Amino acid sequence: MPRAALRGGRGSPWGYRILNVVELLAELRDLLADPQSNWGRIGTVLAEHRGLAEHQAARFLVARASVHGGLAAEAQRRLASVDPRVRLQGIEVVLDAFPRSLAGKLLRRVVKDPDATVGRRARAAVRKLGLNDVALPDARYDGPHLGGWHPAGWCFGLFRFHTSNERRPPRPTRVAALGAVGLPALRSVADLVALLELDGEDALARLMRPGTDVGSAYVEFEVPKATGGTRRLAAPRGPLRRVQRMILDRILARVPVHDACHGFVPGRSTVTNARPHQRAALVLKTDLRDFFPSVHYRRVWGLFAQLGYNQHPVAALLAGLTCYRPRLPDGRVVWPGVLPQGAPTSPALANLACRRLDVRLARLASRMGGVYTRYADDLTFSFADQPELNVGRFWWWIDQICQQEGFHEHAGKRRVLRPNGQQRVTGVVVNDGLHVPRRERRRFRALLHDVGRVGLEAAARGREDLGAYLAGYAAYVRMVEPALGARWGAEVARLLGESRA
C-alpha cells in the first residue's frame, strides 16, 4: 500500500482512521489526562498505528506518562482486575508503550495468571520484550516447560501432566504419614457426601454455584483497609460455611504446617511470630500482594490430590467447595476460582500452599545466619548479629523465590529495621524483649484513667462494646508483657465491677 494512503487522516483498508503525527499526539495528550476512563481508547489508538513511524512518537508520549503520570498506577490496577478481559487490555497497553524495565515489572504478576488466555498473552509479551523469564529457572525440573518457563509452586495442580513428579501417584511414605495424622479416607463422591453430612450429591452442586445472586453460596461486601480504601470480601452463607468448617476440622487442621508459619495456626499468634526476632541487629519485613487470590482452584485441587485424595472427583469437589468464582455484571463467570477472603478454609489452604515457600525462605535465612517467620502474608527475617549481608541482594533472592512459588512479593512494603529505631513485628516491639508499642500503652492508660474518672458509660461515648474491648486488650497485653497485662487486667476487672454496681 502506498505510504500516502496512510497519511493525512485518510481512511484505511482495515476500517479505521489513520492520524498524522500531530493529530495522533494531540489525541493521546487528551486521553492521557484521564487514563482510567480512556484506557481502552489509548490501547486502540496505539494498536491502529503499530508499524508506522508515528507509532514511535506515540510510544514516547505514553512512556513519559507511564513514568511521570498516573498511567502506571492505572496499569497496575487493571492487571489486578478480577475480569480477565480487563487484564488483557492492560497487557496490550503495557507492551505497546511502557519502557521495557517498567513493563517487565508490571507483567511479572500476570505471566502465571490463573486464566490461561491472560497468562499465555503475558508470556508472549515478556518474550517480545526480550526478557528470558520473570524468575530464576527451577533446577528441580528437567528441561523447559510451558514455552521456556520452569514450573514451580505456582503450577501445583495446574498442569497435571507437564512434570514427571505429577505423573506418579503419591508416594506410599507420604500417604502413610498423612494417614497417621488421622485424615479420613475419601475414595468416592459418596464418601465425601457422608463426611460432610449432606443429603446427596445434588447438594454439592448447589453449594458450588458461582457469584452472589439468589441461590448462590456467597455474599460480597466491602471493609475499610488500614492503609486507606476498601477491600472486597466474599464470605460463604450459612450452609456452605458449615461444610467448609467440616473440611477445616476434619481434613485441613490435621495437616501440619511449617514451623515458620504462625498465622491462623492453633497455639501460635502474632506474639509467637515476633518472639524469634527479639534483640535483632537487623530486621527485614515485606509482604505478599494478593495473598488469597494467588491460590487458585487448580492449586487447591493439586493440594488435595497431594494429601491423598487423588481420585479425580474428590479432589476437584473439595477444591470447588473451598474456592469462589465471581460473576461479572454481564453474567460471565470468572474461571478458575480463587480462595475467598472470608471463608474459614482459606487461611489453612493458603498456609498449606506456602509449605515449600516457607521451607525455601527459612533455608535462605538460615544460610545467612538469620531466622524467618510468616504470619499470613507478612514475611519477617532477622539477624541476631550484624550480618555481612548485601540487603539489596537478599531482597532479590526473596523476590525470586516468591515468584517461583506463585506469589508476588510487594516491593513497596519492604522495611529495613535497625536497633536505633523501633523494630515492630506483627504489632509487637522486639528491640529489647517483647513489648506493646509505647504509643498504644499510653493510649490505653489514658482510656483506663478516663473510665475511672467519669465511668464506663460516659467514657464509651455511645460505644457499646467498650467493656469487652478493655478486657480483650488487657488479655492481649498479658500475652506480650505478662506482668503489665496482669496489672491492667486487674484494673479492668475493678472498673467493670464498679460500673455494674
Side-chain angles (χ1 to χ4, degrees), residues 118-136:
V118 175
R120 185 165 54 248
R121 184 69 190 100
R123 290 191 289 274
V126 169
R127 284 194 295 270
K128 191 171 183 179
L129 289 169
L131 301 174
N132 293 327
D133 203 344
V134 293
L136 286 175

Side-chain angles (χ1 to χ4, degrees), residues 70-267:
L71 200 62
E74 178 61 18
Q76 187 168 320
R77 188 186 71 82
R78 286 182 174 268
L79 293 176
S81 172
V82 69
D83 190 341
R85 295 166 296 184
V86 175
R87 299 201 295 274
L88 284 171
Q89 289 180 351
I91 291 171
E92 294 303 321
V93 175
V94 168
L95 173 62
D96 254 339
F98 279 45
R100 182 173 179 266
S101 59
L102 179 57
K105 185 182 298 185
L106 291 169
L107 291 176
R108 55 196 312 265
R109 70 179 300 167
V110 285
V111 292
K112 298 171 182 179
D113 196 274
D115 184 272
T117 303
V118 175
R120 185 165 54 248
R121 184 69 190 100
R123 290 191 289 274
V126 169
R127 284 194 295 270
K128 191 171 183 179
L129 289 169
L131 301 174
N132 293 327
D133 203 344
V134 293
L136 286 175
D138 192 339
R140 293 165 296 182
Y141 292 85
D142 296 329
H145 299 275
L146 309 179
W149 272 263
H150 292 255
W154 64 275
C155 76
F156 196 42
L158 179 57
F159 300 100
R160 297 179 60 205
F161 304 107
H162 273 254
T163 67
S164 58
N165 289 339
E166 292 180 1
R167 290 194 192 103
R168 294 195 296 265
R171 290 173 293 180
T173 53
R174 175 178 294 176
V175 174
L178 292 172
V181 300
L183 292 181
L186 300 175
R187 297 182 176 85
S188 65
V189 178
D191 290 345
L192 179 61
V193 170
L195 177 74
L196 302 179
E197 301 176 7
L198 298 174
D199 296 334
E201 296 184 14
D202 292 342
L204 293 172
R206 290 195 298 270
L207 292 173
M208 291 188 290
R209 289 174 179 167
T212 58
D213 298 332
V214 176
S216 65
Y218 284 91
V219 59
E220 287 188 354
F221 56 92
E222 292 184 348
V223 297
K225 297 170 64 174
T227 56
T230 59
R231 187 192 310 276
R232 192 157 190 82
L233 305 184
R237 302 180 194 269
L240 180 58
R241 187 186 307 114
R242 181 184 65 83
V243 167
Q244 288 179 343
R245 288 202 175 278
M246 288 184 182
I247 295 174
L248 174 64
D249 296 337
R250 300 177 183 183
I251 299 178
L252 300 176
R254 301 182 182 185
V255 182
V257 298
H258 193 271
D259 291 341
C261 173
H262 292 265
F264 313 108
V265 179

Side-chain angles (χ1 to χ4, degrees), residues 391-419:
V391 174
R393 188 67 174 173
F394 193 75
W395 283 129
W396 183 86
W397 274 106
I398 294 170
D399 179 73
Q400 292 292 308
I401 292 173
C402 290
Q403 183 74 9
Q404 280 189 339
E405 297 301 331
F407 296 95
H408 190 61
E409 189 248 340
H410 199 325
K413 296 289 187 70
R414 292 174 179 175
R415 298 292 181 270
V416 179
L417 308 177
R418 302 185 186 275

Side-chain angles (χ1 to χ4, degrees), residues 176-487:
L178 292 172
V181 300
L183 292 181
L186 300 175
R187 297 182 176 85
S188 65
V189 178
D191 290 345
L192 179 61
V193 170
L195 177 74
L196 302 179
E197 301 176 7
L198 298 174
D199 296 334
E201 296 184 14
D202 292 342
L204 293 172
R206 290 195 298 270
L207 292 173
M208 291 188 290
R209 289 174 179 167
T212 58
D213 298 332
V214 176
S216 65
Y218 284 91
V219 59
E220 287 188 354
F221 56 92
E222 292 184 348
V223 297
K225 297 170 64 174
T227 56
T230 59
R231 187 192 310 276
R232 192 157 190 82
L233 305 184
R237 302 180 194 269
L240 180 58
R241 187 186 307 114
R242 181 184 65 83
V243 167
Q244 288 179 343
R245 288 202 175 278
M246 288 184 182
I247 295 174
L248 174 64
D249 296 337
R250 300 177 183 183
I251 299 178
L252 300 176
R254 301 182 182 185
V255 182
V257 298
H258 193 271
D259 291 341
C261 173
H262 292 265
F264 313 108
V265 179
R268 305 182 194 178
S269 64
T270 56
V271 179
T272 63
N273 182 70
R275 186 170 290 129
H277 306 290
Q278 299 178 75
R279 302 178 179 86
L282 180 67
V283 176
L284 305 180
K285 293 171 43 178
T286 186
D287 70 13
L288 302 175
R289 190 193 298 270
D290 300 327
F291 182 52
F292 286 132
S294 297
V295 184
H296 53 75
Y297 168 84
R298 297 188 185 101
R299 295 182 72 177
V300 178
W301 183 355
L303 195 152
F304 278 116
Q306 289 292 313
L307 292 181
Y309 304 119
N310 56 331
Q311 294 80 3
H312 170 72
V314 175
L317 288 171
L318 285 169
L321 290 169
T322 53
C323 291
Y324 169 61
R325 292 174 294 155
R327 188 186 293 274
L328 301 177
D330 62 358
R332 175 173 176 169
V333 176
V334 177
W335 174 262
V338 298
L339 290 185
Q341 300 186 53
T345 48
S346 294
L349 285 168
N351 282 340
L352 293 177
C354 286
R355 287 175 301 177
R356 190 160 64 189
L357 173 73
D358 291 336
V359 168
R360 297 183 67 186
L361 291 179
R363 289 177 178 175
L364 173 67
S366 177
R367 185 173 182 177
M368 300 297 179
V371 294
Y372 156 76
T373 63
R374 179 180 59 83
Y375 190 91
D377 59 348
D378 291 330
L379 313 180
T380 306
F381 304 81
S382 68
F383 303 87
D385 300 317
Q386 189 66 34
E388 295 181 4
L389 179 69
N390 184 327
V391 174
R393 188 67 174 173
F394 193 75
W395 283 129
W396 183 86
W397 274 106
I398 294 170
D399 179 73
Q400 292 292 308
I401 292 173
C402 290
Q403 183 74 9
Q404 280 189 339
E405 297 301 331
F407 296 95
H408 190 61
E409 189 248 340
H410 199 325
K413 296 289 187 70
R414 292 174 179 175
R415 298 292 181 270
V416 179
L417 308 177
R418 302 185 186 275
N420 58 352
Q422 188 182 83
Q423 297 174 319
R424 187 186 298 196
V425 177
T426 50
V428 180
V429 177
V430 298
N431 292 64
D432 185 17
L434 301 180
H435 299 284
V436 178
R438 182 178 301 172
R439 179 179 297 179
E440 295 185 13
R441 292 202 307 268
R442 289 175 175 174
R443 182 183 57 81
F444 191 73
R445 279 199 299 264
L447 184 56
L448 290 179
H449 175 74
D450 197 24
V451 172
R453 183 174 59 85
V454 301
L456 182 66
E457 185 175 351
R461 296 178 177 86
R463 179 176 176 177
E464 297 180 358
D465 62 343
L466 180 59
Y469 166 76
L470 294 175
Y473 191 79
Y476 166 73
V477 174
R478 179 174 292 185
M479 286 198 311
V480 182
E481 301 181 61
L484 178 62
R487 189 165 64 250

